[in-house]
Amino acid sequence: MKSQEIRSKFLSFFENKKHSIVPSAPMVLKDDPTLMFVNAGMVPFKEYFLGNSQPKSSRIADTQKCLRVSGKHNDLEEVGYDTYHHTLFEMLGNWSFGDYFKEEAIAWAWELLTEVFGIDKDILYVTVFEGDEGDKLPMDTEAYDFWKKHISEDRILKGNKKDNFWEMGDQGPCGPCSEIHVDVRSAEEKAKVDGKDLVNMDHPQVVEIWNLVFMQYNRKANGSLESLPNKHIDTGMGFERLCMVLQGVQSNYDTDVFTPLIREVEAITHKDYGKDEKIDVAIRVISDHVRAVAFSIADGQLPSNIGAGYVIRRILRRAVRYGFTFLDKKEPFIYRLVDVLSKKMGIAFPELKSQKQLIENVIKEEENSFLRTLEQGLILLNRIVEETKGNTVSGEKAFELYDTYGFPIDLTSLILNEKGLKLDEAGFEKELQKQKERSRAASEISTDDWTVLVDDAEQEFIGYDTLEANVKITRYRKVTSKKEGDMYQLVFNLTPFYAEGGGQVGDKGYLEDVNGDVVYIIDTKKENNVIIHFAKNLPKNVEASFKAVVDAKQRYRTECNHTATHLLHQALREVLGTHVEQKGSAVHSKYLRFDFSHFSKLTVEELRDVENFVNARIDGKLPLEEKRNIPMEEAIAEGAMALFGEKYGDTVRAVRFGQSIELCGGTHVKNTADIWHFKIISEGAVAAGIRRIEAITNDAVKEFYHENNRAYFEMKDLLNNAKEPVKALQNLQEENAKLKKQIESLLKDKAKNIKGELKSELTNVNGIQFLAKKVDLDAAGIKDVAFELGSQFDNLFLLLGAEQNGKALLSCYISKELVASKNLNAGQVVRELGKHIQGGGGGQPFFATAGGKNPSGINDALKAAKDYLK
């Protein structure tokens, strides 16, 4: 059974059980402060489990793309070494929100696996929760009794809290679960060891295939449990593992989910899969990781050095280094797998087809960048080896190479082994742990339980129409972090504060009680569909009524910038072409940032045309036309642009200014004239095929022109109030260029004279022409002299020192013949002598330079040079 059919049968089965089939949510989470990626199928439905909103259907089924490479669920280091862990995986799931519970979930799971998919009952085992004394929970006899209707009791195993009690996090909905495990070993292996003894023992052919979670408790901050008002079902089945079972193979990588990718890697690298374990691991790593990276880019997350972007970069770099080390690939090749991937999975996930070119461009550029890093790392590693005394390389140095330059530690270890050296692994681990502890301490957060004042599940946002409202606090909690200290999160029954989302920052403002006491709201965010207001302290009486007031000035500036992003998007599509798509935005009160797909740098004319287009719409005084809560299909039919990677509901808000129509939940000006003016500040590349424009509007533009005007008059003053300052500057530049040429000519003459003097001062030391002297030349002049003298001698050792602008300079030239015959190295010489000038440097074995901040040490360095000739 092909993977496409397996996926289809699963969804059809639950559709027949009256489940609504929903598409996979974007894997990248943009507005969830607790997670970077969807790491389980239930994540898109958290708000329903928490009771913060109501689902459109009480029964849902889907296949959800998930990523597990950070935090609690981190499978990255296992990927490639075993046959059943993945970074990206599909989770097939069925969900009940207060509808059916254990009996139906168990019966339907058994029916689907054994009757629809035809899996032999004799290779299946199930587990149930054995209970836990610490939580005062009894064994889940209810699930046990339901399973007895379908499977013999000797195949129902009891599991502990670790394996059979599922929790969303340290707090929140949780409950016992039943796992279904499958044993696909050969008959001979089954005869030797009973399958029940291998369940949850990390055996590659005895694996969990489906987890049925029975959400019936809520974990509080103090660790205690309370029963949920409604009981829910949350199931997750590993699609890749299911394909392994139904296709009769022993590994997920032997299914048609992965074999097309593996065949392509073999063709590109000329390596065979299945003959060498190291090569097999590398091919599995690459085949897995390209999926994770491709889906992330398609969902709007580009590789970067922070947050979610860093996770994606780390995954891709892991794939590159496995190709570099074990498949001998020193040039980009992973991007070539995207075509195979999009053909294989593009039917179920059309974003892979629509974003294919972008994915290829970004991966190729990232590969090139990291391969350059590897080359630089090899040079730095060689330098570390040269400086190492003994046969053990410092773990601290290796960690610096890993942490600062991104050079993989396993590659360091491999190269050292080839050179007959050891790595101080304990030292490396010590430095790594220090870094982890620093990171953990910086990000550690403790969150209290919510204190509920008013039982009000329906929170209303009224900030489109007003910036003030009389509100009640419905619940609050204390949050403590090392970075922010104590903070309070407040939820109101209704709020005019816009929560951060869609690229727009959250509102600031204040709460005022009847006595005039004020609590400042310093940020507003949304978590699991609840608008949360952040304050440094609580009101004196949390049960009082308050006037909530949004900072009108900041909101207005933010609205100007947000509306300008819509007009900018329209302008770019008009000026550059309809291939332009928004790839990200940031809307602050001071500026806006807009990322978009485009293949080349914008010309001056294009930037001017974009600016003029936007300002024409501002001058046109276009009114805001919005439609709230209209059906998604209706909005799209009217021409509204949906941004890929955003999560939209069945009803949406459409925002129109003239011909610009977008689906958007952000706040906007009432008329484009309010923006006053639009000015582009910068344009540049973010990644291959992605450009970024930063721009300003309104007050920021006024300040920009005011500052430019001030600088203009200062410049005129320096030019003696020239009537034509541009022409005066050009004259100065021409005069400066002429003077530079004259100086260069004089310096060359000076260098020639010095060269003659230096040649006459050379002395013979042990058959080597030697000179160590301080000269009055710059770095370029010293290099010219050194190379000219070097061309006349094949046994020259020259060390020249100079003082330039209060800094010290040392340059060492050693004839290549001496480098080879005497084992001398100019790079080592300047690194060691550079200590005298409180600096350092390096270069090639025959010529190297060092700079330092202590010119008085030059003479000591020159005196020490002769020691190298003993």
Side-chain angles (χ1 to χ4, degrees):
M1 193 182 297
K2 297 293 184 185
S3 56
Q4 189 69 29
E5 186 183 354
I6 293 169
R7 188 189 291 112
S8 179
K9 280 198 171 191
F10 173 88
L11 297 174
S12 296
F13 176 84
F14 281 103
E15 190 172 28
N16 290 331
K17 301 294 185 187
K18 298 183 172 57
H19 287 64
S20 295
I21 308 303
V22 298
S24 173
M27 189 173 68
V28 180
L29 293 169
K30 297 180 179 177
D31 300 322
D32 188 333
T34 64
L35 283 172
M36 291 188 287
F37 302 98
V38 171
N39 62 2
M42 57 75 58
V43 170
F45 309 121
K46 278 204 300 185
E47 62 198 68
Y48 306 144
F49 290 121
L50 291 166
N52 295 333
S53 55
Q54 293 298 314
K56 64 177 183 180
S57 170
S58 62
R59 297 182 181 189
I60 285 175
D62 69 350
T63 177
Q64 174 63 48
K65 48 195 176 183
C66 303
L67 191 70
R68 286 188 180 174
V69 287
S70 60
K72 179 182 174 184
H73 298 293
N74 187 350
D75 296 337
L76 183 59
E77 295 311 315
E78 282 94 353
V79 174
Y81 286 91
D82 65 28
T83 58
Y84 55 95
H85 278 104
H86 302 290
T87 49
L88 175 126
F89 60 96
E90 282 187 65
M91 189 170 276
L92 304 171
N94 58 291
W95 320 85
S96 166
F97 306 106
D99 190 341
Y100 63 84
F101 201 45
K102 295 179 185 178
E103 183 173 15
E104 294 88 344
I106 288 170
W108 291 340
W110 191 254
E111 179 187 350
L112 178 62
L113 292 179
T114 61
E115 296 180 26
V116 177
F117 287 136
I119 297 175
D120 186 349
K121 298 176 183 180
D122 293 334
I123 67 169
L124 295 174
Y125 295 89
V126 300
T127 62
V128 296
F129 179 50
E130 68 182 7
D132 184 79
E133 288 185 11
D135 280 331
K136 299 177 183 176
L137 290 175
M139 174 184 161
D140 189 359
T141 54
E142 191 178 15
Y144 189 93
D145 291 338
F146 287 135
W147 275 119
K148 284 196 300 184
K149 297 179 182 180
H150 307 287
I151 190 172
S152 61
E153 288 190 59
D154 64 328
R155 290 180 171 272
I156 307 174
L157 312 177
K158 297 174 184 176
N160 58 23
K161 181 179 175 180
K162 175 180 174 290
D163 292 325
N164 282 88
F165 194 87
W166 197 92
E167 307 203 42
M168 186 185 292
D170 294 332
Q171 293 165 245
C174 54
C177 61
S178 274
E179 297 175 341
I180 304 173
H181 294 255
V182 61
D183 181 356
V184 295
R185 295 175 300 151
S186 66
E188 292 78 15
E189 289 173 313
K190 288 175 183 175
K192 292 176 186 175
V193 182
D194 196 330
K196 68 175 68 174
D197 296 327
L198 298 175
V199 168
N200 279 327
M201 299 301 290
D202 291 327
H203 192 286
Q205 277 88 47
V206 184
V207 295
E208 174 196 339
I209 193 173
W210 205 348
N211 191 12
L212 315 179
V213 180
F214 312 125
M215 294 274 200
Q216 59 189 100
Y217 301 109
N218 179 52
R219 176 78 70 184
K220 301 179 74 175
N222 63 8
S224 65
L225 295 171
E226 61 183 6
S227 294
L228 289 172
N230 292 308
K231 297 176 180 180
H232 313 292
I233 288 294
D234 159 13
T235 86
M237 176 155 55
F239 174 66
E240 294 81 5
R241 294 184 185 183
L242 179 62
C243 290
M244 176 186 75
V245 176
L246 297 182
Q247 293 178 10
V249 293
Q250 298 289 297
S251 160
N252 290 1
Y253 292 94
D254 293 334
T255 67
D256 72 331
V257 176
F258 288 98
T259 50
L261 290 169
I262 290 172
R263 297 290 89 81
E264 188 68 11
V265 175
E266 287 181 308
I268 293 170
T269 63
H270 307 295
K271 303 287 184 183
D272 293 328
Y273 183 72
K275 293 183 178 179
D276 181 297
E277 182 59 22
K278 288 182 178 179
I279 289 174
D280 291 354
V281 169
I283 291 177
R284 287 197 291 267
V285 165
I286 291 161
S287 300
D288 171 276
H289 288 11
V290 70
R291 296 180 354 129
V293 174
F295 272 102
S296 298
I297 294 170
D299 275 358
Q301 182 56 66
L302 300 174
S304 71
N305 284 329
I306 56 170
Y310 177 68
V311 173
I312 302 308
R313 176 165 283 168
R314 186 165 156 243
I315 295 171
L316 181 54
R317 288 187 165 188
R318 186 172 188 255
V320 173
R321 65 183 166 90
Y322 271 85
F324 182 90
T325 305
F326 301 107
L327 305 182
D328 299 322
K329 293 304 291 181
K330 313 303 186 203
E331 70 281 337
F333 75 99
I334 295 172
Y335 75 96
R336 292 165 62 183
L337 304 176
V338 175
D339 184 55
V340 174
L341 180 64
S342 66
K343 287 175 181 173
K344 179 65 188 172
M345 300 189 72
I347 297 172
F349 302 98
E351 61 268 26
L352 286 177
K353 286 187 172 181
S354 65
Q355 304 293 314
K356 177 174 169 284
Q357 189 62 56
L358 172 67
I359 297 167
E360 288 177 339
N361 289 347
V362 171
I363 291 179
K364 186 177 182 181
E365 183 178 275
E366 282 290 314
E367 287 188 85
N368 270 318
S369 174
F370 188 50
L371 286 167
R372 287 193 295 271
T373 296
L374 289 177
E375 286 177 12
Q376 292 165 359
L378 289 170
I379 293 168
L380 293 168
L381 181 57
N382 286 334
R383 189 173 296 168
I384 291 170
V385 169
E386 288 170 4
E387 294 172 351
T388 298
K389 294 173 181 176
N391 68 342
T392 302
V393 170
S394 157
E396 192 175 344
K397 290 279 187 186
F399 179 77
E400 184 183 347
L401 194 59
Y402 162 80
D403 189 45
T404 307
Y405 302 100
F407 198 76
I409 189 62
D410 54 352
L411 193 53
T412 297
S413 184
L414 186 73
I415 291 167
L416 293 180
N417 286 336
E418 289 172 355
K419 292 178 180 287
L421 297 172
K422 295 178 186 174
L423 170 66
D424 173 18
E425 294 183 9
F428 176 83
E429 282 300 321
K430 183 179 177 182
E431 294 301 315
L432 184 62
Q433 286 307 313
K434 282 183 190 174
Q435 184 203 53
K436 286 182 177 178
E437 284 165 15
R438 287 192 298 268
S439 177
R440 194 180 299 117
S443 61
E444 202 168 285
I445 296 175
S446 64
T447 306
D448 288 356
D449 288 322
W450 287 107
T451 298
V452 179
L453 303 175
V454 180
D455 190 9
D456 183 2
E458 293 297 320
Q459 181 193 40
E460 186 182 358
F461 172 64
I462 57 172
Y464 293 135
D465 304 309
T466 181
L467 298 184
E468 293 186 14
N470 293 319
V471 305
K472 296 277 287 183
I473 298 174
T474 61
R475 51 178 154 151
Y476 67 89
R477 67 182 178 188
K478 183 179 177 181
V479 177
T480 304
S481 69
K482 188 168 184 178
K483 183 180 178 182
E484 303 289 347
D486 290 345
M487 295 275 286
Y488 291 90
Q489 297 181 348
L490 314 176
V491 178
F492 309 150
N493 58 328
L494 51 85
T495 181
F497 286 82
Y498 179 81
E500 179 182 324
Q504 181 176 330
V505 295
D507 281 334
K508 296 180 180 180
Y510 62 89
L511 281 183
E512 184 178 6
D513 65 17
V514 291
N515 298 317
D517 291 328
V518 167
V519 169
Y520 290 99
I521 303 299
I522 58 177
D523 201 359
T524 310
K525 295 180 183 291
K526 184 176 280 191
E527 184 177 323
N528 300 316
N529 209 40
V530 175
I531 296 174
I532 296 173
H533 310 78
F534 291 75
K536 289 297 289 182
N537 54 290
L538 281 175
K540 291 177 181 176
N541 179 9
V542 292
E543 296 183 1
S545 293
F546 301 91
K547 181 168 75 171
V549 181
V550 174
D551 182 332
K553 194 170 186 179
Q554 176 175 289
R555 167 72 86 84
Y556 171 63
R557 288 170 171 171
T558 304
E559 287 177 340
C560 288
N561 286 333
H562 200 153
T563 301
T565 64
H566 286 220
L567 300 178
L568 173 58
H569 193 184
Q570 183 191 6
L572 290 167
R573 289 173 65 85
E574 184 73 25
V575 173
L576 303 179
T578 54
H579 65 279
V580 168
E581 291 182 2
Q582 181 176 334
K583 293 298 174 185
S585 68
V587 180
H588 296 263
S589 59
K590 294 181 179 178
Y591 72 97
L592 66 93
R593 189 179 73 220
F594 191 82
D595 297 344
F596 57 98
S597 55
H598 186 56
F599 44 81
S600 62
K601 179 179 176 62
L602 272 68
T603 64
V604 173
E605 292 76 17
E606 287 170 335
L607 287 170
R608 187 189 61 234
D609 289 346
V610 168
E611 256 188 16
N612 289 342
F613 185 98
V614 174
N615 283 316
R617 270 77 199 151
I618 294 170
D619 294 341
K621 300 180 180 179
L622 304 174
L624 165 66
E625 299 176 50
E626 63 170 331
K627 291 186 178 179
R628 302 179 193 171
N629 299 317
I630 66 168
M632 175 80 164
E633 296 78 9
E634 183 181 328
I636 297 297
E638 290 183 10
M641 189 176 296
L643 304 179
F644 190 79
E646 294 291 337
K647 184 180 176 183
Y648 297 105
D650 293 331
T651 60
V652 293
R653 176 173 177 254
V655 173
R656 176 197 283 267
F657 289 96
Q659 296 303 307
S660 167
I661 319 172
E662 292 192 18
L663 302 182
C664 181
T667 64
H668 293 273
V669 294
K670 302 302 180 193
N671 191 291
T672 58
D674 297 335
I675 301 173
W676 189 73
H677 198 72
F678 171 83
K679 177 67 185 159
I680 293 174
I681 298 302
S682 68
E683 187 273 341
V686 178
I690 303 289
R691 310 295 299 177
R692 170 173 292 172
I693 280 178
E694 291 191 349
I696 52 176
T697 64
N698 207 284
D699 291 347
V701 177
K702 295 173 187 176
E703 180 63 29
F704 174 83
Y705 284 127
H706 173 76
E707 186 61 27
N708 275 11
N709 207 36
R710 183 192 61 75
Y712 172 75
F713 281 106
E714 282 184 6
M715 182 185 70
K716 276 194 73 175
D717 191 43
L718 289 170
L719 295 169
N720 296 319
N721 287 310
K723 291 182 179 179
E724 297 182 67
V726 174
K727 191 171 182 180
L729 268 177
Q730 287 173 338
N731 291 337
L732 271 177
Q733 286 177 324
E734 289 170 6
E735 187 180 342
N736 190 47
K738 287 176 184 177
L739 290 171
K740 271 187 174 180
K741 285 183 180 179
Q742 290 175 12
I743 291 169
E744 285 172 8
S745 178
L746 288 169
L747 286 173
K748 281 184 179 179
D749 290 340
K750 183 178 180 182
K752 282 179 184 177
N753 293 331
I754 289 176
K755 185 188 78 170
E757 292 174 15
L758 296 179
K759 186 176 179 180
S760 66
E761 294 179 37
L762 291 172
T763 59
N764 190 302
V765 179
N766 298 328
I768 296 172
Q769 292 295 318
F770 171 77
L771 179 64
K773 184 180 173 79
K774 187 174 180 180
V775 293
D776 184 20
L777 288 173
D778 63 5
I782 289 175
K783 186 176 181 181
D784 287 342
V785 166
F787 275 77
E788 282 195 37
L789 280 173
S791 67
Q792 298 176 35
F793 298 92
D794 57 10
N795 62 341
L796 179 66
F797 186 112
L798 185 67
L799 181 72
L800 299 177
E803 184 177 347
Q804 294 283 324
N805 302 317
K807 298 287 179 69
L809 176 69
L810 291 175
S811 291
C812 181
Y813 180 94
I814 303 175
S815 297
K816 291 184 179 178
E817 289 81 0
L818 286 180
V819 170
S821 64
K822 300 288 187 180
N823 197 29
L824 292 169
N825 187 303
Q828 284 184 339
V829 171
V830 297
R831 274 195 294 278
E832 291 175 21
L833 296 183
K835 294 171 185 175
H836 292 286
I837 59 172
Q838 296 178 23
Q844 296 170 296
F846 63 90
F847 183 76
T849 60
K853 57 184 180 181
N854 179 31
S856 63
I858 292 174
N859 288 331
D860 292 334
L862 296 173
K863 287 176 186 176
K866 211 169 196 177
D867 294 341
Y868 289 92
L869 306 186
K870 291 178 180 178

